[in-house]
């Protein structure tokens, strides 16, 4: 039983008597003395008797009935809102032309009834003129009771004094059926990075934050200044605009794709209960009649016959007639609303396996099989209009043999709820997508709201705390105002009942309803204020490490350009310039040498990233892979830390019983058939006649049955007895409830429990012959699978639920005697047994001394199985009553209650238990998880597992998945807190320093929080050196903090992978976020940079696609830089030869064509190159480790390419000028430029490792295109000379001189110091 919180709400609305604007403060005698004795807060109890109206008075029955006539306005907008709005506008136009009608006593403002009634003028301003002038009859709006009115703050907001938007930092009052609804964030999922307004500012800022983009922007702007203009303005502006268009377009397409995926989630439909007043229909009819009457009279042009609004009201009151009861006039309809349109205060109807779209408070739960249509018939039970008839819980039967106090204790701990709700407001939810915990959570409806009919929900007000991140905490209250007339016809009172709300009464967004039940729940938080959204960090624009490295290299190139420009000007002399100043000359040189920093670099890299994304998404080995952020594929080849979720990522969250040990023999796999034979023998019934009822089995009777088998040996009988005892214990000692479901006309039984381990054990017991047939809070019934007969009936006397601290679960049972049709009387004593199961760490000291338990549990743990030790103890009636008495006294103590109850349990029950055996349960791993983790570990990636699950579970999965190898020691740090001294925490860390390379760390969430708070630097500096870290009980925020901390501390690339909503923050905080499309949703997949469908695809994504993306981009970037440097060196040689004049060597089209049509396709074809095939990349994952050093693009490789560029540029331009015999003639330009293009094409061919047909096509096609374009270059070349033999041999000689030495050095280096990939290829 959850502890009731004494929740104090200081700002909770008080009685209307404290509201100066409330109509309760008015002198009711002045308004209508006939109704002055009635409470203004109760709109549904005002008398409808006809009374004479007096001039200048406002009958309060009009005021109150208008609220009833107009209830359901908010729901009405889903149906006929627009139609009625149009008709109301027509009526408004009529009424504006009728001053008598506007000023009539019966006409008043459409403001809420709490507004001043005799108000003259417009307190709301001109903007509300329409609503003030419109008659109340035609403006449907519900007048809520005082306890739902929201207090003074809401009244003030309706009068225009305050904003209706409630602050996120304040608690909120939620009134069901309130109109207009309070303003809160929309319930829409959004993973988009930009808004339409922020897209251009943010993307442009991101682009120009890179140095080379800013550099080219300044170069382009410089061409506006006439002294600095060198060529056409478009020569410099067009490339920059093209680059920005490509980058911004790619970002826009990525974000549009995110929005489309979000739209799919936001369009999911949910069933919402629409609460409407029946008189609303009559009000609409009356309004239509009135409109028709006005129209007919207007058409007859009879102005003297003015419509009398009071007659219309009187006609409507006749239709309503009699006393109006609020609940009996409320209709409940079911409508479908999209997730994004849900509002705070909406009542949702959820069923099994349905995802919760917003944060809810559960109002009511009932079994699905007994569900009836929510819409009520016209026949209403007027005797108790506010309450539904209690559903009979057939599963729960009283047992007089069970002590009342014991029954109370069992009920209070809610350990064995009926999974279907059973009319007691209980249901289970799955929270693995929220907090990562695999255990199902029990949730309860408030005892106030559970018995209510849905029509009475309009009397409910919920006070909820402010939105916050804590998914395991909630404080609130629920108030229900019940009618209490007590025989006084002219006076009505209301009795308000209040109850606290806690986390047990909630269902947060992204949880899943697990029970076979119908749940009615009210929305309390939506959109950005849900727990899941507040635990999620906002999306950020991610930039790859390669981008920063290239940015640094461009700064070096810019420094070289500036230095070269200054040197060239200085060689001629700063004072001896001709025609312009020295600083103008330096600037012109900078512009001439701007090709050193190639603007096409960004275009090539961005197009390369698009190509990588295309290859990833079309890889047949990774079906359904999606690249959601196409700007960082190279990061996949630089990962050094991998942070992984457990549930749904490494495991399937499907438990299976794999092994059982009974002391002398172990059973697994095919040996389970022998267990089945023992069960059939041990639980065989005495009567062989199928028509006769079978006898119920007790532990003693089953033992006698086994001893009677004379044909078996003594050893076999002993083993059979042990097997029978442990199977019986496993079939009874649990919190599992069987439920019957129907699908496609077939009925089948499913099991529901808070732990999947228990379900696996119960399923195993059924597979060996003992089926759980029935379970409620007071009894359990077992059935033989072979005979389908009931063979065991027990009463539940007491349950001791599993806790993280106790790590064990116990149950006291009383076995019934007799037959399956007749059982022993309640007074007849039956055998009483105490069963207990738990972790071996705690059960070792509880069970009797033995010599095999520790060894066997260690063996199972090494196999990665989750072990449970089972024991039992027989109790006499006297022993049980002694325990029950003392346990009751301990439960009533006000101080140290839990300690006292634990002490009584230990003294009476938990000692010297008979050890029955040990079970081993396996959490099924995802496909190929073990080899995948081993491959990633060999690739040099350190793997952390961050999970919200229990410590023992995480340890078992880490071992079974081979996250921790057999040679590694697991060091556990748990239960660290600020209560401990500093030395305790440091001692826990000191053990890791001795052998960090062979030690894995297991730490829980509390200890992790403590170390990150008080010993942050010491912990992270040590943890990043460990080969594996397992963090348990981690919140989503902690996961994100760990990812951020590793990134900041190591400056290494961090990848995070997960499948649930609780992993979104971690994924977004990582350098590379990878989402798995899980069974329970796509939250992680939608928020991730890369989406895959199973964990083992990660190895291919990193080792193969990551390697190719990084190696290709590194080679592409350096080649583009080489291309720009080469033409800049040629320009430098030319400038020196022309006496340092800043004139262009290649102008206009030659400059643009060189970087585009003449070299771009061959250079870009390098994105198809691979140095090793996929088989070798997987066979030698150590090749991946080399990528993390950044050797493919480093300062060393950069300066090597600079040296090559300088050499080739000097050779090409120098030999061109020497061989042609001219410095600036068209012949020299044609030889120089042709040699330059030929040099680039051959250099591309020399760099290719693995040829692709597209490379051949691009090389030959570009060469042919250049030759074909020569006739059109007459403005730059001497075309007659181009087609001569002299041109041909000069170009060939120059190309040979520039390429020969470079290629020779390349071959020599490959022979002396071969690359790693050549070693594994044997080349």
């Amino acid at each position: 039983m959850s502890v009731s919180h004494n929740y104090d709400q200081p700002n909770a609305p008080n009685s209307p008597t404290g509201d100066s604007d409330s109509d309760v403060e008015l002198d009711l005698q002045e308004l209508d003395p006939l109704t002055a004795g009635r409470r203004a807060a109760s709109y549904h109890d005002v008398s409808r008797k006809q009374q004479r109206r007096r001039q200048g008075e406002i009958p309060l029955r009009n005021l109150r009935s208008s609220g009833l006539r107009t209830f359901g306005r908010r729901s009405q907008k889903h149906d006929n809102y627009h139609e009625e709005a149009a008709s109301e506008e027509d009526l408004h136009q009529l009424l504006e032309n009728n001053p008598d009608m506007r000023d009539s006593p019966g006409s008043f403002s459409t403001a809420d009834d709490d507004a001043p009634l005799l108000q003259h003028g417009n307190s709301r301003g001109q903007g509300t003129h329409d609503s003030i002038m419109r008659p109340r009859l035609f403006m449907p709006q519900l007048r809520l009771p005082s306890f739902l009115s929201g207090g003074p703050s809401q009244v003030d907001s309706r009068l225009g004094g305050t904003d209706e938007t409630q602050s996120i930092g304040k608690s909120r009052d939620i009134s069901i059926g309130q109109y207009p609804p309070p303003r809160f964030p929309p319930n829409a999922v959004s993973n988009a990075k930009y808004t339409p307004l922020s897209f251009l500012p943010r993307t442009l800022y991101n682009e120009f934050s890179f140095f080379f983009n800013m550099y080219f922007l300044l170069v382009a702007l410089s061409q506006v200044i006439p002294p600095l203009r060198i060529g056409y303005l478009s020569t410099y502006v067009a490339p920059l605009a093209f680059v920005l268009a490509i980058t911004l377009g790619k970002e826009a397409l990525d974000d549009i794709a995110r929005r489309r995926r979000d739209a799919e989630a936001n369009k999911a439909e949910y069933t919402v209960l629409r609460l409407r007043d029946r008189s609303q229909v009559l009000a609409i009819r009356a309004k239509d009649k009135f409109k028709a009457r006005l129209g007919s009279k207007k058409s007859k042009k009879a102005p003297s016959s003015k419509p009398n609004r009071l007659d219309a009201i009187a006609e409507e009151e006749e239709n309503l007639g009699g006393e109006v009861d609020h609940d009996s006039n409320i209709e409940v309809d079911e409508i479908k609303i999209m997730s994004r349109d849900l509002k705070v205060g909406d009542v949702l109807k959820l069923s099994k396996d349905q995802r919760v779209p917003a944060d809810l408070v559960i109002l009511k739960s009932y079994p699905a099989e007994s569900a009836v249509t929510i819409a009520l018939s016209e026949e209403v039970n007027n005797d108790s209009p506010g309450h539904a008839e209690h559903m009979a819980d057939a599963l729960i039967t009283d047992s007089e043999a069970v002590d009342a106090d014991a029954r109370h204790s069992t009920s209070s701990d809610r350990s064995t709820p009926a999974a279907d709700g059973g009319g007691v407001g209980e249901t289970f939810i799955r929270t693995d997508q929220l907090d990562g915990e695999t255990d199902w959570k029990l949730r309860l409806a408030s005892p106030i709201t559970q018995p209510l009919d849905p029509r009475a929900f309009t009397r409910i007000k919920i006070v909820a705390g402010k939105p916050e991140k804590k998914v395991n905490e909630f404080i609130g209250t629920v108030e229900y105002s019940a009618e209490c007339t007590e025989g006084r016809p002219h006076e009505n009172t209301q009795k308000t009942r209040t109850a606290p709300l806690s986390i047990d009464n909630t269902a947060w967004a992204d949880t899943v309803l697990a029970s076979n039940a119908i749940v009615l729940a009210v929305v309390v938080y939506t959109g950005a204020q849900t727990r899941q959204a507040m635990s999620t960090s906002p999306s950020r624009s991610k930039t790859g490490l390669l981008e920063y490295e290239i940015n640094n290299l461009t700064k070096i190139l810019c420094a070289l350009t500036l230095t070269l420009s200054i040197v060239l000007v200085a060689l001629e002399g700063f004072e001896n310039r001709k025609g312009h100043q020295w600083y103008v000359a330096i600037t012109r040189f900078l512009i001439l040498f701007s090709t050193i920093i190639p603007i096409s670099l960004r275009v090539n890299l961005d197009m390369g990233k698009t190509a990588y994304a295309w290859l990833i998404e079309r890889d047949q080995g990774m079906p359904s892979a999606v690249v959601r952020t196409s700007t960082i594929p190279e990061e996949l080849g630089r990962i050094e830390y991998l942070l992984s979720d457990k549930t749904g990522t490494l495991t399937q969250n499907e438990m299976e019983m794999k092994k059982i040990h009974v002391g002398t023999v172990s059973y697994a796999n095919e040996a389970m058939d022998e267990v089945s034979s023992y069960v059939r023998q041990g639980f065989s019934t005495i009567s062989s006649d199928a028509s006769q009822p079978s006898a119920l089995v007790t532990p003693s009777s089953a033992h006698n049955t086994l001893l009677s088998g004379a044909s078996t040996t003594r050893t076999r009988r002993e083993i059979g007895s042990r097997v029978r005892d442990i199977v019986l214990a496993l079939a009874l000692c649990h919190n599992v409830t069987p439920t019957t479901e129907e699908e496609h006309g077939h009925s089948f039984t499913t099991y529901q429990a808070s732990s999947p381990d228990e379900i696996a054990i119960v399923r195993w017991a059924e597979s060996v012959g003992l089926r759980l047939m029935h379970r409620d809070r007071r009894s359990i019934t077992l059935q033989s699978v072979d005979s389908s007969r009931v063979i065991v009936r027990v009463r539940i006397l007491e349950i001791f639920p599993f806790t993280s601290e106790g790590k064990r679960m116990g149950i006291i049972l009383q076995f019934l005697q007799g037959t399956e049709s007749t059982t022993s009387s309640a007074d007849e004593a039956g055998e009483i047994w105490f069963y207990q199961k738990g972790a071996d760490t705690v059960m070792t000291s509880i069970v009797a001394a033995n010599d095999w338990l520790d060894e066997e549990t260690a063996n199972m743990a090494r196999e990665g199985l989750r072990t449970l030790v089972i024991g039992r103890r027989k109790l006499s009636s006297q022993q049980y009553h002694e325990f029950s008495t003392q346990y009751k006294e301990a439960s009533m103590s006000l101080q140290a209650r839990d300690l006292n109850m634990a002490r009584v349990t230990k003294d009476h029950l938990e000692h010297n238990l008979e050890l029955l055996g040990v079970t081993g349960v396996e959490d099924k791993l995802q496909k190929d998880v073990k080899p995948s983790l081993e491959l990633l570990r060999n690739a040099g990636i350190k793997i952390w597992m961050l999970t919200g699950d229990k410590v023992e579970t995480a340890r078992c999965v880490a071992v079974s998945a081979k996250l921790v190898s057999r040679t590694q020691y697991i060091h556990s740090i748990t239960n660290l807190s600020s209560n401990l001294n500093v030395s305790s925490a440091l001692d826990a860390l000191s053990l890791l320093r001795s052998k960090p390379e062979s030690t894995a760390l297991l730490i829980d969430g509390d200890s992790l929080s403590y170390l990150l708070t008080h010993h942050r630097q010491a912990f992270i500096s040590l943890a990043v050196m460990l080969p594996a870290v397992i963090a348990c009980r981690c919140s989503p925020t902690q996961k994100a903090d760990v990812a951020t901390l590793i990134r900041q501390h190591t400056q290494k690339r961090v990848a995070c992978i997960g499948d649930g909503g609780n992993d979104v923050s971690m994924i977004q905080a990582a350098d590379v976020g990878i989402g798995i499309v899980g069974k329970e949703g796509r939250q992680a997949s939608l928020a991730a940079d890369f989406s895959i469908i199973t964990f083992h695809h990660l190895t291919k994504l990193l080792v193969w696609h990551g390697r190719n993306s990084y190696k290709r981009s590194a080679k592409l970037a350096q080649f583009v830089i080489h291309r720009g440097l080469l033409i800049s060196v040629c320009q430098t040689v030319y400038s020196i030869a022309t006496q340092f004049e800043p004139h262009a060597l290649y102008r206009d089209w030659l400059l643009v064509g060189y970087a585009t049509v003449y070299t771009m396709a061959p250079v870009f074809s390098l994105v198809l190159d691979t140095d090793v095939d996929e088989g070798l990349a997987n066979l030698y994952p150590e090749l991946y480790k080399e990528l993390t050093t950044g050797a493919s693009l480093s300062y060393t490789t950069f300066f090597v390419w600079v040296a090559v560029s300088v050499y080739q540029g000097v050779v090409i331009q120098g030999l061109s000028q020497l061989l042609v015999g001219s410095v600036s003639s068209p012949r020299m330009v044609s030889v120089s430029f042709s040699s330059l293009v030929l040099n680039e094409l051959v250099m591309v061919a020399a760099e290719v490792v693995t040829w692709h047909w597209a490379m051949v096509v691009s090389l030959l096609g570009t060469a042919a295109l250049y030759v074909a374009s020569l006739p059109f270059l007459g403005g730059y070349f001497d075309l007659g000379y181009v087609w001569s033999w002299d041109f041909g041999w000069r170009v060939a000689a120059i190309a040979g001189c520039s390429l020969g030495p470079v290629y020779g050095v390349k071959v020599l280096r490959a022979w002396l110091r071969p690359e790693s990939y050549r070693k594994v290829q044997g080349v």
Side-chain angles (χ1 to χ4, degrees), residues 52-290:
R52 297 181 60 87
R53 296 179 175 88
R54 297 185 299 166
Q55 184 69 24
E57 296 176 350
I58 303 176
L60 286 189
R61 60 178 174 275
N62 289 352
L63 176 66
R64 298 309 174 205
S65 64
S66 66
L68 285 175
R69 290 193 302 268
T70 60
F71 181 73
R73 167 81 174 196
R74 178 170 170 235
S75 302
Q76 179 185 351
K77 69 181 181 179
H78 297 291
D79 299 336
N80 55 0
Y81 175 81
H82 297 289
E83 179 183 351
E84 293 186 12
S87 63
E88 287 173 359
E89 181 66 22
D90 294 339
L91 291 174
H92 167 62
Q93 296 298 331
L94 291 174
L95 293 174
E96 277 189 329
N97 297 326
N98 192 346
D100 295 336
M101 184 177 294
R102 276 201 309 272
D103 297 333
S104 66
S107 176
F108 45 89
S109 169
T110 60
D112 192 273
D113 294 342
D114 289 341
L117 299 179
L118 301 179
Q119 174 178 320
H120 298 285
N122 187 1
S123 62
R124 292 185 177 217
Q126 191 65 28
T128 57
H129 175 75
D130 291 347
S131 56
I132 288 182
M133 294 304 176
R134 191 176 300 139
R136 184 59 173 245
L137 175 62
F138 309 113
M139 188 66 180
Q141 184 170 352
L142 172 65
R143 182 5 176 128
L144 296 174
S146 60
F147 74 95
L148 294 178
S149 63
S153 61
Q154 289 191 5
V155 175
D156 293 341
S157 68
R158 295 188 184 101
L159 293 175
T162 60
D163 188 2
E164 291 181 9
T165 303
Q166 298 196 30
S167 171
I168 189 174
K170 298 179 180 179
S171 59
R172 58 185 60 183
D173 298 347
I174 302 167
S175 300
I176 298 176
Q178 177 181 353
Y179 183 82
R183 295 180 184 175
F184 290 109
N187 192 53
V189 177
S190 178
N191 290 294
K193 293 182 180 179
Y194 312 103
T195 65
L197 294 179
S198 68
F199 175 74
L200 278 179
R202 288 184 60 185
T203 52
L204 290 177
Y205 173 80
N206 292 334
E207 289 303 307
F208 289 113
S209 63
F210 288 100
F211 173 78
F212 52 86
N213 280 349
M214 182 59 70
Y215 176 81
F216 276 103
L217 177 63
L218 295 177
V219 169
L221 294 177
S222 69
Q223 296 304 288
V224 179
I225 304 173
L228 302 180
R229 183 174 301 167
I230 294 177
Y232 294 114
L233 181 62
S234 59
T235 304
Y236 297 92
V237 174
L240 178 63
F242 181 71
V243 170
L244 293 178
I246 291 292
T247 306
L248 268 63
K250 186 157 57 63
E251 282 289 317
L253 290 176
D254 287 346
D255 215 49
I256 290 173
R258 292 189 190 95
R259 290 184 176 274
R260 287 176 178 172
R261 290 187 295 270
D262 291 340
E264 293 178 4
N266 293 329
K267 289 181 180 179
E269 289 189 341
Y270 289 86
T271 301
V272 175
L273 300 190
R274 179 176 59 179
L275 308 177
R276 296 191 304 175
D277 192 272
R278 290 177 177 174
S279 59
Q280 179 186 1
V281 178
L282 297 177
I284 294 173
R285 292 175 181 173
K287 179 178 63 178
D288 292 340
K289 290 180 180 180
F290 183 38

Side-chain angles (χ1 to χ4, degrees), residues 455-491:
R455 296 170 302 172
F457 286 171
T458 54
R459 298 173 175 272
I460 296 174
K461 182 178 74 173
I462 292 176
V463 180
K466 65 179 182 180
E468 56 183 344
K469 295 181 179 180
K470 299 178 181 179
V471 297
N472 293 321
E473 294 183 11
F474 176 72
I475 296 178
T477 58
V478 58
E479 297 179 9
Y480 171 67
S481 182
E483 298 180 3
C484 183
T485 58
E486 298 180 357
R488 288 170 290 182
H490 297 291
E491 184 174 353

